[in-house]
Amino acid sequence: MYCANIKVKDAQQGKQPSYLSYFSPHPSSYGTVVVPTGPIPTHPMAVKNEIFIVICVIVGTIVIIGGNAELQRFDHPAKADGSLSILVVGDWGRKGKYNQSQVASQMGITGEKMDLDFIISTGDNFYPSGLTGEHDTAFEESFTKIYTAPSLQRLWYSVLGNHDYRGDALAQLSPILKQRDGKWFCLKSYILSTDIAEFFFIDTTPFQDKYFTDPGDKVYDWRGVLPREKYLTTILRDLESALGESHAKWKIVVGHHTIRSGGIHGDTQELVKRLLPILKASNVDMYINGHDHCLEHISSGDSPLQFFTSGGGSKAWRGNYSWSSNEKDQMKFYYDGQGFMTMRITQNEVGIDFYDIVGNILHKWSASKSLFSII
Ligand SMILES: *[C@@H]1O[C@H](CO)[C@@H](O)[C@H](O)[C@H]1NC(C)=O
Ligand SMILES: *[C@@H]1O[C@H](CO)[C@@H](O)[C@H](O)[C@H]1NC(C)=O
């Protein structure tokens, strides 16, 4: 089943295949392998068959290893002074409309002052239905031509949202997009290690039951996700073990969907049930999401966990808000309009600011940990 996603480069008749590039929807198998190939058989069909067998062996091995493998890990070192500056935006790709361009230009100004290391996108990258394929020009119209400020030409570590799954979900993960705009980085679930913090990016869309049980007229691209339960348990198991092994001072989990929220979508019950207990047991510091088109901060009442929503990248002002004062978790801040969130992280401190589209800081939060604490 994974063989369907393989692209063979330079394998035309009569030309020595210099390398085989594979691309699989499985979260643990992504990259480029260099495969030394033998003498070219004379019959073109034989070339094809041989390549196909080699690929299947390689991919088969990867899939088998992938069965027990950890989430794929990437490194992004902190600045020389040991700090990190990050901007977080979500729910944005609307070809500049609904204030997307205004948010982008304020991101550029704030990003310049902060000397950003990278940007996090919490998903729903392209509206209304993701990308149609690797060559969809919405990629330029909603991304490259919108986030033009020099300060934003950093890597954008992204996850997929539910709207992205309504298009060609694999297109956003394709290396071809990276060729079209080098700052783009998107996978389903992965770990980003910096020296001081570890970010665990989680593919949350497949957790929500209603996309499967009651999709209405929406069609979701579940390639690489089915069988669903195996996919979900693998993510949770890999996340739990990666969190357990992490020595990072700050542990931050990023997903598209809310866990707790006072916005129109409210809590995502499936994540409250299955993801939240892992985050609490593993001393995760923050869960960052989009999905509700607002800016929001909720403090857990029975753990150090903080919930941050940064989903104000374009269309907002939904007008629906509900949160009971009897909740054990505390609503610290809710803004129904557009904007974004910034983070500054050092060994001992993390500082969060929420910005609106004209650069006002609407809410601030910070926390510190002593130099020697291990959690
Ligand atoms: C754009 O932002 C301004 C300022 O916050 C707001 O008044 C206006 O309603 C927004 N427009 C849209 C379409 O959201
Ligand atoms: C959102 O607000 C509108 C207008 O007040 C209301 O009709 C609708 O039922 C609300 N939706 C939810 C899910 O709360």
Side-chain angles (χ1 to χ4, degrees), residues 2-170:
Y2 290 94
C3 288
N5 296 294
I6 289 151
K7 306 234 157 81
V8 180
K9 294 193 180 169
D10 296 346
Q12 301 107 317
Q13 185 185 346
K15 197 172 168 198
Q16 175 87 21
S18 54
Y19 65 92
L20 304 173
S21 176
Y22 69 84
F23 189 75
S24 148
H26 191 278
S28 308
S29 53
Y30 168 80
T32 302
V33 268
V34 179
V35 183
T37 47
I40 312 165
T42 43
H43 194 281
M45 230 15 240
V47 176
K48 273 195 177 161
N49 286 340
E50 187 163 294
I51 291 167
F52 187 74
I53 290 162
V54 169
I55 293 165
C56 285
V57 169
I58 295 165
V59 174
T61 312
I62 291 157
V63 169
I64 291 161
I65 296 166
N68 314 310
E70 300 125 33
L71 295 166
Q72 235 202 322
R73 189 178 285 275
F74 299 87
D75 286 310
H76 194 125
K79 288 192 178 72
D81 69 0
S83 72
L84 274 177
S85 297
I86 301 159
L87 190 151
V88 185
V89 66
D91 305 81
W92 41 267
R94 296 185 193 266
K95 304 185 179 175
K97 297 202 183 94
Y98 295 99
N99 284 344
Q100 187 196 355
S101 298
Q102 285 81 343
V103 176
S105 91
Q106 188 54 52
M107 283 167 59
I109 295 164
T110 304
E112 182 74 42
K113 290 182 193 150
M114 291 183 68
D115 187 14
L116 291 178
D117 292 285
F118 55 83
I119 291 136
I120 290 175
S121 167
T122 58
D124 277 2
N125 306 320
F126 301 97
Y127 284 100
S129 304
L131 296 179
T132 57
E134 291 160 339
H135 299 284
D136 189 342
T137 53
F139 182 65
E140 278 80 22
E141 292 164 312
S142 284
F143 180 60
T144 307
K145 290 181 181 165
I146 302 291
Y147 303 104
T148 52
S151 67
L152 303 178
Q153 308 314 304
R154 304 285 184 273
L155 280 171
W156 283 55
Y157 293 103
S158 311
V159 288
L160 297 177
N162 47 309
H163 284 266
D164 299 312
Y165 264 103
R166 292 181 194 168
D168 179 342
L170 303 184

Side-chain angles (χ1 to χ4, degrees), residues 334-349:
Y334 189 92
Y335 177 68
D336 203 30
Q338 285 98 356
F340 55 91
M341 179 180 121
T342 63
M343 308 173 76
R344 272 178 213 275
I345 310 179
T346 65
Q347 273 291 344
N348 308 320
E349 261 183 24

